[in-house]
Amino acid sequence: ASTEMVTTFYGLSHQEVALRRDILGLRKRKGRHPVLSEEQDTLLWQRWQPQFKDRGIALDDDMAMLLLTLDLAQELSFPASVIWASVQTWVEQKLV
């Protein structure tokens, strides 16, 4: 999970996440998370949008959003953190 996701669901600051990752010996990423191509983003939207509506998810229901994100990550073989970031961007841009 991305630092953003850990912060949202566990309330840890970025510094706490970094410290815990260091203690656990997890490798540090260099650079930004991968982003989806335009085709992948379109595919994600086509899969996400109807499921979002069918499930009746509220925009502020982080747990329901997480479950949908994880389902789509498994279905599409995209990293959950990248799907989460895309969805959060759509919400911020009021595309939903």
Side-chain angles (χ1 to χ4, degrees):
S2 67
T3 301
E4 250 181 75
M5 292 174 75
V6 173
T7 299
T8 298
F9 292 101
Y10 297 101
L12 300 175
S13 70
H14 291 284
Q15 294 83 5
E16 290 170 316
V17 172
L19 178 61
R20 287 171 187 256
R21 286 185 173 163
D22 193 39
I23 290 170
L24 292 171
L26 299 175
R27 66 180 175 83
K28 294 179 183 177
R29 282 196 200 124
K30 294 185 181 183
R32 296 178 176 253
H33 292 283
V35 293
L36 300 176
S37 68
E38 187 174 333
E39 293 81 18
Q40 290 171 320
D41 191 61
T42 300
L43 177 62
L44 176 59
W45 174 261
Q46 291 169 343
R47 294 287 202 294
W48 179 83
Q49 213 270 338
Q51 289 190 45
F52 172 76
K53 285 186 175 184
D54 289 346
R55 295 181 187 197
I57 299 173
L59 292 176
D60 62 348
D61 188 346
D62 289 333
M63 284 307 291
M65 288 282 211
L66 176 63
L67 292 174
L68 178 53
T69 295
L70 295 175
D71 288 346
L72 289 170
Q74 184 173 11
E75 178 185 333
L76 300 172
S77 298
F78 296 164
S81 61
V82 174
I83 294 174
W84 182 263
S86 293
V87 169
Q88 296 306 308
T89 300
W90 298 336
V91 170
E92 288 170 10
Q93 295 175 351
K94 299 185 183 344
L95 298 175
V96 182

